[in-house]
Amino acid sequence: MYHNTTKETGKTLQKFTQKAANQDETILQICKAFKRPFSAKDVFNAYPNNRTPMTSIRRSLNTLHYRENNIEPTGEKVKGMYGRPETQYRTRTNTNT
């Protein structure tokens, strides 16, 4: 899901929305490949484009959890890239993608 904080319109908005949707799908496939709980740092390290900002990874995880219901928190936290606690997630067993 693209959060249109810059008030884009028209083709630009369509382009950004599609890019976010593609990123969500890529991240969902990465999440499904993990056979253990994962954090944003794990997804970031597995993401094919190493120039993607961590905030974009977190945006996708938020979408996959709250909007798409494809992943869920485990209730555990791990130390993240910046030394702060990060939520661990797992894929839900009933995802269709």
Coordinates of all heavy atoms in Angstrom, one line a residue:
M1 N 0.8 -1.2 0.0 CA 0.0 0.0 0.0 C 0.9 1.2 0.0 O 1.8 1.3 0.8 CB -0.9 0.0 1.2 CG -1.7 1.2 1.4 SD -2.8 1.1 2.8 CE -3.6 2.7 2.6
Y2 N 0.6 2.1 -0.9 CA 1.3 3.4 -1.0 C 0.6 4.4 -0.1 O -0.6 4.6 -0.2 CB 1.4 3.9 -2.4 CG 2.1 5.2 -2.6 CD1 3.4 5.3 -2.3 CD2 1.4 6.4 -2.9 CE1 4.1 6.6 -2.4 CE2 2.0 7.6 -3.0 CZ 3.3 7.7 -2.8 OH 4.0 8.9 -2.9
H3 N 1.4 5.1 0.8 CA 0.9 6.1 1.6 C 1.2 7.5 0.9 O 2.3 7.9 0.9 CB 1.5 6.1 3.0 CG 1.2 4.8 3.7 ND1 0.1 4.6 4.4 CD2 2.0 3.7 3.8 CE1 0.1 3.3 4.9 NE2 1.3 2.8 4.6
N4 N 0.2 8.1 0.4 CA 0.3 9.3 -0.5 C 0.5 10.5 0.4 O -0.3 11.4 0.4 CB -0.9 9.4 -1.4 CG -0.6 10.4 -2.5 OD1 0.5 10.9 -2.7 ND2 -1.7 10.8 -3.2
T5 N 1.6 10.6 1.1 CA 1.9 11.7 1.9 C 2.3 13.0 1.2 O 2.3 14.1 1.7 CB 3.0 11.4 3.0 OG1 4.2 11.0 2.3 CG2 2.5 10.3 3.9
T6 N 2.7 12.8 -0.1 CA 3.2 14.0 -0.9 C 2.1 14.4 -1.8 O 2.3 15.3 -2.7 CB 4.4 13.6 -1.7 OG1 4.2 12.4 -2.5 CG2 5.6 13.4 -0.8
K7 N 0.8 13.9 -1.7 CA -0.3 14.3 -2.4 C -0.2 14.2 -4.0 O -0.5 15.1 -4.7 CB -0.7 15.8 -2.1 CG -0.9 16.0 -0.6 CD -2.0 15.3 0.0 CE -2.3 15.8 1.4 NZ -2.1 14.8 2.4
E8 N 0.4 13.1 -4.4 CA 0.6 12.8 -5.8 C -0.7 12.5 -6.5 O -1.7 12.1 -5.8 CB 1.6 11.6 -6.0 CG 2.9 11.8 -5.4 CD 3.7 13.0 -6.0 OE1 3.5 13.3 -7.1 OE2 4.6 13.5 -5.3
T9 N -0.8 12.7 -7.8 CA -2.1 12.5 -8.5 C -1.7 11.8 -9.9 O -0.6 11.8 -10.3 CB -2.8 13.8 -8.8 OG1 -2.0 14.7 -9.6 CG2 -3.2 14.5 -7.5
G10 N -2.7 11.4 -10.5 CA -2.6 10.9 -11.9 C -1.6 9.7 -12.1 O -1.6 8.8 -11.3
K11 N -0.9 9.8 -13.2 CA 0.1 8.7 -13.5 C 1.1 8.5 -12.5 O 1.6 7.4 -12.2 CB 0.7 9.0 -14.9 CG -0.3 8.8 -16.0 CD 0.3 8.9 -17.4 CE -0.6 8.8 -18.5 NZ -1.1 7.5 -18.8
T12 N 1.6 9.6 -11.8 CA 2.6 9.5 -10.8 C 2.1 8.7 -9.6 O 2.7 7.8 -9.1 CB 3.1 10.9 -10.3 OG1 3.6 11.6 -11.5 CG2 4.1 10.8 -9.3
L13 N 0.9 9.0 -9.2 CA 0.3 8.2 -8.1 C 0.1 6.8 -8.5 O 0.4 5.9 -7.7 CB -1.1 8.8 -7.7 CG -1.9 8.1 -6.6 CD1 -1.0 8.0 -5.3 CD2 -3.2 8.8 -6.4
Q14 N -0.4 6.5 -9.7 CA -0.5 5.1 -10.2 C 0.8 4.4 -10.1 O 0.9 3.2 -9.7 CB -1.1 5.1 -11.6 CG -2.5 5.5 -11.7 CD -3.0 5.5 -13.1 OE1 -2.2 5.6 -14.1 NE2 -4.3 5.5 -13.3
K15 N 1.9 5.1 -10.6 CA 3.2 4.5 -10.6 C 3.7 4.1 -9.2 O 4.2 3.0 -9.0 CB 4.2 5.4 -11.3 CG 5.6 5.0 -11.3 CD 6.5 6.0 -12.0 CE 8.0 5.8 -11.7 NZ 8.8 6.9 -12.1
F16 N 3.6 5.1 -8.3 CA 4.0 4.8 -6.9 C 3.2 3.8 -6.2 O 3.7 3.0 -5.5 CB 4.0 6.1 -6.1 CG 5.0 7.2 -6.6 CD1 4.9 8.5 -6.1 CD2 6.0 6.9 -7.4 CE1 5.8 9.4 -6.5 CE2 6.9 7.9 -7.8 CZ 6.8 9.1 -7.3
T17 N 1.9 3.7 -6.5 CA 1.0 2.7 -5.9 C 1.4 1.3 -6.4 O 1.5 0.4 -5.6 CB -0.4 3.0 -6.2 OG1 -0.8 4.3 -5.7 CG2 -1.4 2.0 -5.6
Q18 N 1.7 1.2 -7.7 CA 2.1 -0.1 -8.3 C 3.4 -0.5 -7.8 O 3.6 -1.7 -7.4 CB 2.1 0.0 -9.8 CG 2.4 -1.4 -10.5 CD 1.3 -2.4 -10.1 OE1 0.1 -2.2 -10.2 NE2 1.8 -3.6 -9.6
K19 N 4.3 0.4 -7.6 CA 5.7 0.1 -7.1 C 5.5 -0.5 -5.7 O 6.2 -1.5 -5.3 CB 6.6 1.3 -7.1 CG 8.0 1.0 -6.7 CD 8.9 2.3 -6.9 CE 10.3 1.9 -6.4 NZ 11.2 3.1 -6.6
A20 N 4.7 0.2 -4.8 CA 4.5 -0.3 -3.5 C 3.9 -1.7 -3.5 O 4.2 -2.6 -2.7 CB 3.7 0.7 -2.7
A21 N 2.9 -1.9 -4.3 CA 2.2 -3.2 -4.4 C 3.2 -4.3 -4.8 O 3.2 -5.4 -4.3 CB 1.1 -3.2 -5.4
N22 N 4.1 -4.0 -5.8 CA 5.1 -5.0 -6.2 C 6.1 -5.3 -5.1 O 6.5 -6.4 -4.9 CB 5.9 -4.4 -7.4 CG 5.1 -4.4 -8.7 OD1 4.0 -5.0 -8.8 ND2 5.6 -3.6 -9.6
Q23 N 6.5 -4.2 -4.3 CA 7.4 -4.4 -3.2 C 6.7 -5.3 -2.1 O 7.3 -6.2 -1.6 CB 7.7 -3.1 -2.6 CG 8.8 -3.2 -1.5 CD 9.2 -1.8 -1.1 OE1 8.4 -1.1 -0.5 NE2 10.4 -1.4 -1.3
D24 N 5.4 -5.1 -1.9 CA 4.7 -5.9 -0.9 C 4.7 -7.3 -1.3 O 4.9 -8.2 -0.5 CB 3.2 -5.4 -0.7 CG 3.1 -4.0 -0.1 OD1 4.1 -3.5 0.5 OD2 2.0 -3.4 -0.2
E25 N 4.5 -7.6 -2.6 CA 4.5 -9.0 -3.1 C 5.9 -9.6 -2.9 O 6.0 -10.8 -2.5 CB 4.0 -9.1 -4.5 CG 4.0 -10.5 -5.1 CD 3.1 -11.4 -4.3 OE1 2.1 -11.0 -3.7 OE2 3.4 -12.6 -4.2
T26 N 6.9 -8.9 -3.3 CA 8.3 -9.4 -3.1 C 8.6 -9.7 -1.7 O 9.2 -10.8 -1.4 CB 9.3 -8.3 -3.7 OG1 9.1 -8.1 -5.1 CG2 10.8 -8.8 -3.5
I27 N 8.2 -8.8 -0.8 CA 8.5 -9.0 0.6 C 7.7 -10.2 1.2 O 8.2 -11.0 2.0 CB 8.3 -7.7 1.4 CG1 9.4 -6.8 1.1 CG2 8.2 -7.9 2.9 CD1 9.4 -5.4 1.7
L28 N 6.4 -10.3 0.7 CA 5.7 -11.5 1.2 C 6.4 -12.8 0.8 O 6.4 -13.7 1.5 CB 4.2 -11.5 0.6 CG 3.4 -12.6 0.9 CD1 3.2 -12.8 2.4 CD2 2.0 -12.5 0.2
Q29 N 6.9 -12.9 -0.5 CA 7.6 -14.1 -0.9 C 8.9 -14.3 -0.1 O 9.2 -15.5 0.3 CB 7.9 -14.0 -2.4 CG 6.7 -14.0 -3.3 CD 5.7 -15.1 -3.0 OE1 6.1 -16.2 -2.8 NE2 4.4 -14.7 -2.9
I30 N 9.6 -13.2 0.3 CA 10.7 -13.4 1.2 C 10.3 -13.9 2.6 O 10.9 -14.8 3.1 CB 11.4 -12.0 1.4 CG1 12.1 -11.7 0.0 CG2 12.5 -12.1 2.5 CD1 12.7 -10.2 0.0
C31 N 9.2 -13.4 3.1 CA 8.7 -13.8 4.4 C 8.3 -15.3 4.3 O 8.6 -16.1 5.3 CB 7.5 -13.0 4.8 SG 7.8 -11.3 5.1
K32 N 7.7 -15.7 3.3 CA 7.3 -17.1 3.2 C 8.5 -18.1 3.0 O 8.4 -19.2 3.4 CB 6.4 -17.3 1.9 CG 5.0 -16.8 2.2 CD 4.1 -17.0 1.0 CE 2.7 -16.6 1.2 NZ 1.8 -17.0 0.1
A33 N 9.6 -17.5 2.5 CA 10.8 -18.4 2.4 C 11.5 -18.6 3.8 O 12.2 -19.6 3.9 CB 11.8 -17.7 1.5
F34 N 11.3 -17.8 4.7 CA 11.8 -18.0 6.1 C 11.1 -19.2 6.7 O 9.9 -19.2 6.7 CB 11.7 -16.8 7.0 CG 12.6 -15.7 6.6 CD1 12.1 -14.5 6.1 CD2 13.9 -15.8 6.9 CE1 13.0 -13.4 5.8 CE2 14.8 -14.7 6.6 CZ 14.3 -13.6 6.1
K35 N 11.8 -20.1 7.2 CA 11.2 -21.2 7.9 C 11.3 -21.0 9.4 O 11.2 -22.0 10.2 CB 11.9 -22.5 7.5 CG 11.9 -22.8 6.1 CD 10.5 -22.9 5.5 CE 10.5 -23.2 4.0 NZ 9.3 -22.9 3.4
R36 N 11.4 -19.8 9.8 CA 11.5 -19.4 11.2 C 11.0 -18.0 11.4 O 10.7 -17.3 10.4 CB 13.0 -19.4 11.7 CG 13.8 -18.5 10.8 CD 15.3 -18.4 11.3 NE 16.1 -17.6 10.4 CZ 16.0 -16.2 10.3 NH1 15.2 -15.5 11.0 NH2 16.9 -15.6 9.5
P37 N 10.8 -17.5 12.6 CA 10.3 -16.1 12.8 C 11.4 -15.2 12.2 O 12.6 -15.5 12.1 CB 10.2 -16.0 14.3 CG 10.0 -17.3 14.8 CD 10.8 -18.2 13.9
F38 N 10.9 -14.0 11.7 CA 11.8 -13.1 11.1 C 11.5 -11.6 11.5 O 10.4 -11.4 12.0 CB 11.7 -13.1 9.5 CG 10.2 -13.0 9.1 CD1 9.7 -11.8 8.8 CD2 9.4 -14.1 8.9 CE1 8.4 -11.7 8.4 CE2 8.1 -14.0 8.6 CZ 7.6 -12.8 8.3
S39 N 12.4 -10.8 11.4 CA 12.2 -9.3 11.7 C 12.4 -8.5 10.5 O 12.8 -9.0 9.4 CB 13.2 -8.9 12.8 OG 14.6 -8.9 12.3
A40 N 12.2 -7.2 10.6 CA 12.5 -6.3 9.5 C 13.9 -6.4 9.0 O 14.2 -6.3 7.8 CB 12.1 -4.9 9.9
K41 N 14.8 -6.5 10.0 CA 16.3 -6.7 9.6 C 16.5 -7.9 8.7 O 17.2 -7.8 7.7 CB 17.1 -6.7 10.9 CG 18.6 -7.0 10.6 CD 19.4 -7.0 11.9 CE 19.2 -8.3 12.6 NZ 20.1 -8.5 13.7
D42 N 15.9 -9.0 9.1 CA 16.0 -10.2 8.3 C 15.5 -10.0 6.8 O 16.2 -10.4 5.9 CB 15.3 -11.4 8.9 CG 15.8 -11.8 10.3 OD1 17.0 -11.7 10.5 OD2 15.0 -12.1 11.1
V43 N 14.3 -9.4 6.7 CA 13.8 -9.1 5.4 C 14.7 -8.1 4.6 O 15.0 -8.3 3.5 CB 12.3 -8.6 5.5 CG1 11.8 -8.2 4.2 CG2 11.4 -9.6 6.2
F44 N 15.1 -7.1 5.3 CA 16.0 -6.1 4.7 C 17.3 -6.8 4.1 O 17.7 -6.6 3.0 CB 16.4 -5.1 5.7 CG 17.3 -4.0 5.2 CD1 16.9 -2.9 4.5 CD2 18.7 -4.1 5.4 CE1 17.7 -1.9 4.0 CE2 19.6 -3.1 4.9 CZ 19.1 -2.0 4.2
N45 N 17.9 -7.7 4.9 CA 19.1 -8.4 4.5 C 18.8 -9.4 3.3 O 19.7 -9.7 2.5 CB 19.7 -9.1 5.6 CG 20.4 -8.2 6.6 OD1 20.7 -7.1 6.3 ND2 20.4 -8.6 7.9
A46 N 17.6 -9.9 3.2 CA 17.2 -10.8 2.1 C 16.7 -10.1 0.9 O 16.6 -10.8 -0.1 CB 16.2 -11.8 2.7
Y47 N 16.4 -8.8 1.0 CA 15.7 -8.1 -0.1 C 16.7 -8.0 -1.3 O 17.9 -7.7 -1.1 CB 15.3 -6.8 0.4 CG 14.2 -6.1 -0.6 CD1 12.9 -6.6 -0.6 CD2 14.6 -5.2 -1.5 CE1 12.0 -6.1 -1.4 CE2 13.6 -4.6 -2.3 CZ 12.4 -5.1 -2.3 OH 11.4 -4.5 -3.2
P48 N 16.3 -8.2 -2.5 CA 17.2 -8.2 -3.6 C 17.8 -6.9 -4.0 O 18.9 -6.8 -4.5 CB 16.4 -8.8 -4.8 CG 14.9 -8.6 -4.4 CD 14.9 -8.6 -2.9
N49 N 17.2 -5.8 -3.7 CA 17.7 -4.5 -4.0 C 18.2 -3.9 -2.7 O 17.5 -3.4 -1.9 CB 16.6 -3.6 -4.6 CG 17.1 -2.2 -4.9 OD1 18.2 -1.8 -4.6 ND2 16.2 -1.4 -5.5
N50 N 19.5 -3.9 -2.5 CA 20.1 -3.4 -1.3 C 20.1 -1.9 -1.1 O 20.6 -1.3 -0.1 CB 21.5 -3.9 -1.1 CG 22.5 -3.4 -2.2 OD1 22.1 -2.7 -3.1 ND2 23.7 -3.8 -2.1
R51 N 19.4 -1.2 -2.0 CA 19.3 0.3 -1.9 C 17.9 0.6 -1.4 O 17.6 1.8 -1.2 CB 19.5 0.9 -3.3 CG 21.0 0.8 -3.7 CD 21.2 1.4 -5.1 NE 20.5 2.6 -5.3 CZ 20.3 3.2 -6.5 NH1 20.8 2.6 -7.6 NH2 19.6 4.3 -6.6
T52 N 17.1 -0.3 -1.1 CA 15.7 -0.1 -0.6 C 15.8 0.3 0.8 O 16.5 -0.3 1.6 CB 14.9 -1.4 -0.7 OG1 14.8 -1.7 -2.1 CG2 13.5 -1.1 -0.2
P53 N 15.2 1.5 1.2 CA 15.3 1.9 2.6 C 14.6 1.0 3.6 O 13.6 0.4 3.2 CB 14.6 3.3 2.6 CG 14.5 3.7 1.2 CD 14.5 2.4 0.4
M54 N 15.1 0.9 4.8 CA 14.5 0.1 5.8 C 13.0 0.6 6.1 O 12.2 -0.3 6.3 CB 15.3 0.2 7.1 CG 14.7 -0.5 8.3 SD 14.4 -2.3 8.1 CE 16.0 -2.8 8.8
T55 N 12.8 1.9 5.9 CA 11.4 2.3 6.1 C 10.4 1.7 5.1 O 9.3 1.5 5.4 CB 11.3 3.9 6.0 OG1 11.9 4.3 4.8 CG2 12.1 4.5 7.2
S56 N 10.9 1.4 3.9 CA 10.1 0.8 2.9 C 9.8 -0.7 3.3 O 8.7 -1.2 3.1 CB 10.7 0.8 1.5 OG 10.7 2.1 1.0
I57 N 10.8 -1.3 3.8 CA 10.6 -2.7 4.3 C 9.6 -2.7 5.4 O 8.6 -3.5 5.4 CB 11.9 -3.3 4.8 CG1 13.0 -3.3 3.7 CG2 11.7 -4.7 5.4 CD1 12.7 -4.1 2.5
R58 N 9.7 -1.8 6.4 CA 8.7 -1.7 7.5 C 7.3 -1.3 7.0 O 6.3 -1.9 7.5 CB 9.2 -0.7 8.5 CG 10.5 -1.1 9.2 CD 10.8 -0.1 10.3 NE 12.1 -0.3 10.8 CZ 12.5 -1.2 11.7 NH1 11.6 -2.1 12.1 NH2 13.7 -1.3 12.1
R59 N 7.2 -0.5 6.0 CA 5.9 -0.1 5.4 C 5.3 -1.4 4.9 O 4.1 -1.6 5.1 CB 6.1 0.9 4.3 CG 4.7 1.3 3.7 CD 4.8 1.8 2.3 NE 5.6 0.9 1.4 CZ 5.1 -0.2 0.8 NH1 3.9 -0.7 1.1 NH2 5.9 -0.9 0.1
S60 N 6.0 -2.2 4.1 CA 5.5 -3.4 3.6 C 5.1 -4.4 4.7 O 4.0 -5.0 4.6 CB 6.5 -4.1 2.6 OG 6.4 -3.5 1.4
L61 N 5.9 -4.5 5.7 CA 5.5 -5.4 6.8 C 4.2 -5.0 7.5 O 3.4 -5.8 7.8 CB 6.7 -5.6 7.8 CG 7.9 -6.3 7.3 CD1 9.0 -6.2 8.3 CD2 7.6 -7.7 7.0
N62 N 4.1 -3.7 7.6 CA 2.9 -3.1 8.2 C 1.7 -3.5 7.3 O 0.6 -3.9 7.8 CB 3.1 -1.6 8.4 CG 1.9 -0.9 9.0 OD1 0.8 -1.0 8.5 ND2 2.2 -0.3 10.2
T63 N 1.8 -3.3 6.0 CA 0.7 -3.6 5.1 C 0.4 -5.1 5.2 O -0.8 -5.5 5.2 CB 1.1 -3.2 3.7 OG1 1.3 -1.8 3.6 CG2 0.0 -3.6 2.7
L64 N 1.4 -5.9 5.2 CA 1.2 -7.4 5.2 C 0.6 -7.8 6.5 O -0.2 -8.8 6.5 CB 2.5 -8.1 4.9 CG 3.1 -7.9 3.5 CD1 4.5 -8.5 3.5 CD2 2.2 -8.5 2.5
H65 N 0.8 -7.1 7.6 CA 0.2 -7.5 8.8 C -1.2 -6.9 9.0 O -2.2 -7.7 9.1 CB 1.1 -7.0 10.0 CG 0.5 -7.2 11.3 ND1 0.0 -8.4 11.8 CD2 0.2 -6.3 12.3 CE1 -0.5 -8.2 13.0 NE2 -0.4 -6.9 13.3
Y66 N -1.3 -5.6 8.9 CA -2.6 -5.0 9.3 C -3.6 -5.0 8.1 O -4.8 -5.1 8.4 CB -2.3 -3.5 9.7 CG -1.7 -3.4 11.1 CD1 -0.3 -3.1 11.2 CD2 -2.4 -3.7 12.2 CE1 0.3 -3.0 12.4 CE2 -1.7 -3.7 13.5 CZ -0.4 -3.3 13.6 OH 0.2 -3.3 14.8
R67 N -3.2 -4.8 6.9 CA -4.1 -4.7 5.8 C -4.4 -6.1 5.1 O -5.5 -6.4 4.8 CB -3.7 -3.7 4.8 CG -3.6 -2.3 5.4 CD -4.0 -1.3 4.3 NE -3.9 0.0 5.0 CZ -5.0 0.8 5.1 NH1 -6.2 0.3 4.6 NH2 -4.9 1.9 5.6
E68 N -3.3 -6.8 4.9 CA -3.4 -8.1 4.1 C -3.6 -9.3 5.0 O -4.0 -10.4 4.6 CB -2.2 -8.3 3.2 CG -2.0 -7.1 2.3 CD -3.1 -7.0 1.2 OE1 -3.7 -8.0 0.9 OE2 -3.4 -5.8 0.8
N69 N -3.2 -9.2 6.3 CA -3.3 -10.3 7.3 C -2.5 -11.5 6.8 O -2.9 -12.6 7.1 CB -4.8 -10.6 7.5 CG -5.0 -11.3 8.9 OD1 -4.2 -11.0 9.8 ND2 -5.9 -12.1 9.0
N70 N -1.4 -11.3 6.2 CA -0.5 -12.4 5.7 C 0.6 -12.8 6.7 O 1.1 -13.9 6.6 CB 0.2 -12.0 4.4 CG -0.8 -12.0 3.2 OD1 -1.7 -12.9 3.2 ND2 -0.7 -11.1 2.4
I71 N 0.9 -11.9 7.6 CA 1.9 -12.2 8.6 C 1.4 -11.7 10.0 O 0.4 -11.0 10.0 CB 3.3 -11.4 8.3 CG1 3.1 -9.9 8.4 CG2 3.9 -11.9 7.0 CD1 4.4 -9.2 8.3
E72 N 2.0 -12.3 11.0 CA 1.5 -11.9 12.4 C 2.7 -11.9 13.3 O 3.7 -12.6 13.1 CB 0.5 -13.0 12.9 CG 1.1 -14.4 13.0 CD 0.0 -15.4 13.3 OE1 -1.2 -15.0 13.4 OE2 0.4 -16.6 13.5
P73 N 2.6 -11.0 14.3 CA 3.7 -10.9 15.3 C 3.8 -12.2 16.1 O 2.7 -12.8 16.4 CB 3.4 -9.7 16.1 CG 2.1 -9.2 15.7 CD 1.6 -10.0 14.5
T74 N 5.0 -12.6 16.5 CA 5.1 -13.7 17.4 C 5.0 -13.4 18.9 O 4.8 -14.3 19.7 CB 6.5 -14.4 17.2 OG1 7.5 -13.5 17.7 CG2 6.8 -14.8 15.8
G75 N 5.1 -12.1 19.2 CA 5.1 -11.7 20.6 C 6.5 -11.5 21.1 O 6.7 -11.1 22.2
E76 N 7.5 -11.9 20.3 CA 8.9 -11.8 20.7 C 9.6 -10.6 20.0 O 9.1 -10.2 18.9 CB 9.7 -13.1 20.3 CG 9.1 -14.3 21.0 CD 9.4 -14.3 22.5 OE1 10.4 -13.9 22.9 OE2 8.4 -14.8 23.2
K77 N 10.6 -10.1 20.6 CA 11.4 -9.0 19.9 C 12.9 -9.4 19.9 O 13.3 -10.2 20.7 CB 11.3 -7.7 20.7 CG 9.8 -7.2 20.7 CD 9.8 -5.8 21.1 CE 8.3 -5.3 21.1 NZ 8.0 -4.5 20.0
V78 N 13.6 -8.9 18.9 CA 15.0 -9.2 18.7 C 15.7 -7.8 18.5 O 15.1 -6.8 18.2 CB 15.3 -10.1 17.5 CG1 14.8 -11.5 17.8 CG2 14.8 -9.5 16.2
K79 N 17.0 -7.8 18.7 CA 17.8 -6.6 18.5 C 17.9 -6.3 17.0 O 18.2 -7.2 16.2 CB 19.2 -6.8 19.1 CG 20.0 -5.5 19.1 CD 21.3 -5.7 19.8 CE 22.1 -4.5 19.9 NZ 23.4 -4.7 20.6
G80 N 17.5 -5.1 16.6 CA 17.5 -4.7 15.2 C 18.8 -4.1 14.8 O 19.8 -4.1 15.5
M81 N 18.8 -3.7 13.5 CA 20.0 -3.1 12.9 C 20.6 -1.9 13.7 O 21.8 -1.7 13.7 CB 19.7 -2.6 11.5 CG 19.6 -3.7 10.5 SD 19.1 -3.2 8.8 CE 20.2 -1.9 8.5
Y82 N 19.7 -1.2 14.3 CA 20.2 0.0 15.0 C 20.2 -0.1 16.5 O 20.2 0.9 17.2 CB 19.2 1.2 14.6 CG 19.2 1.3 13.0 CD1 18.1 1.0 12.4 CD2 20.3 1.8 12.3 CE1 18.0 1.1 11.0 CE2 20.3 1.8 10.9 CZ 19.1 1.5 10.3 OH 19.1 1.6 8.9
G83 N 20.2 -1.4 17.0 CA 20.3 -1.7 18.4 C 19.0 -1.6 19.1 O 19.0 -1.7 20.4
R84 N 17.9 -1.3 18.5 CA 16.6 -1.2 19.1 C 15.8 -2.5 18.9 O 16.0 -3.2 17.9 CB 15.8 0.0 18.5 CG 16.5 1.3 18.5 CD 16.1 2.0 19.8 NE 16.9 3.3 19.8 CZ 16.3 4.4 20.1 NH1 15.0 4.5 20.3 NH2 17.0 5.5 20.2
P85 N 14.9 -2.7 19.8 CA 14.1 -4.0 19.7 C 13.2 -3.9 18.4 O 12.6 -2.9 18.1 CB 13.2 -4.0 20.9 CG 13.8 -3.0 21.9 CD 14.6 -2.0 21.1
E86 N 13.1 -5.0 17.7 CA 12.3 -5.2 16.6 C 11.3 -6.3 16.8 O 11.7 -7.4 17.3 CB 13.1 -5.5 15.3 CG 13.8 -4.4 14.7 CD 14.4 -4.8 13.4 OE1 14.6 -6.0 13.1 OE2 14.7 -3.9 12.6
T87 N 10.1 -6.2 16.3 CA 9.1 -7.2 16.4 C 9.5 -8.4 15.5 O 10.0 -8.2 14.4 CB 7.7 -6.7 15.9 OG1 7.4 -5.6 16.8 CG2 6.7 -7.8 15.9
Q88 N 9.3 -9.6 16.0 CA 9.5 -10.8 15.1 C 8.1 -11.1 14.6 O 7.1 -11.0 15.3 CB 10.1 -11.9 15.9 CG 11.5 -11.8 16.0 CD 12.1 -13.2 16.4 OE1 11.7 -13.8 17.4 NE2 13.1 -13.6 15.6
Y89 N 8.1 -11.6 13.3 CA 6.8 -12.0 12.7 C 7.0 -13.4 12.2 O 8.0 -14.0 12.1 CB 6.6 -11.1 11.4 CG 6.3 -9.7 11.7 CD1 7.4 -8.8 11.7 CD2 5.1 -9.2 12.0 CE1 7.2 -7.4 12.0 CE2 4.8 -7.9 12.3 CZ 5.9 -7.0 12.2 OH 5.7 -5.7 12.5
R90 N 5.8 -14.0 11.8 CA 5.8 -15.3 11.1 C 4.7 -15.2 10.1 O 3.8 -14.4 10.2 CB 5.5 -16.4 12.1 CG 4.2 -16.4 12.8 CD 4.0 -17.6 13.7 NE 3.0 -17.2 14.7 CZ 3.2 -17.1 16.0 NH1 4.4 -17.3 16.5 NH2 2.2 -16.7 16.8
T91 N 4.8 -16.0 9.0 CA 3.7 -16.0 8.0 C 2.5 -16.7 8.6 O 2.7 -17.7 9.4 CB 4.2 -16.6 6.7 OG1 4.7 -17.9 7.0 CG2 5.2 -15.8 6.0
R92 N 1.4 -16.3 8.2 CA 0.2 -17.0 8.7 C 0.0 -18.2 7.7 O 0.3 -18.1 6.6 CB -1.0 -16.1 8.5 CG -0.9 -14.9 9.5 CD -2.1 -14.0 9.4 NE -3.4 -14.6 9.6 CZ -3.9 -14.8 10.8 NH1 -3.3 -14.4 11.9 NH2 -5.1 -15.4 10.9
T93 N -0.5 -19.2 8.3 CA -0.6 -20.5 7.5 C -1.8 -20.4 6.5 O -1.8 -21.2 5.6 CB -0.9 -21.7 8.4 OG1 -2.0 -21.4 9.3 CG2 0.4 -21.9 9.3
N94 N -2.7 -19.5 6.6 CA -3.8 -19.4 5.7 C -3.6 -18.4 4.6 O -4.6 -18.0 4.0 CB -5.1 -19.1 6.5 CG -5.1 -17.8 7.1 OD1 -4.0 -17.2 7.2 ND2 -6.2 -17.3 7.6
T95 N -2.4 -18.0 4.2 CA -2.2 -17.0 3.2 C -2.4 -17.7 1.8 O -2.0 -18.9 1.6 CB -0.9 -16.4 3.2 OG1 0.1 -17.4 3.1 CG2 -0.7 -15.6 4.5
N96 N -3.0 -17.0 0.9 CA -3.3 -17.6 -0.4 C -2.3 -17.3 -1.5 O -2.3 -17.8 -2.6 CB -4.7 -17.1 -0.9 CG -5.8 -17.6 0.0 OD1 -5.7 -18.7 0.5 ND2 -6.8 -16.8 0.2
T97 N -1.4 -16.4 -1.2 CA -0.4 -15.9 -2.3 C 0.8 -16.8 -2.3 O 1.3 -17.3 -1.3 CB 0.0 -14.5 -2.0 OG1 -1.2 -13.7 -1.8 CG2 0.8 -13.9 -3.1

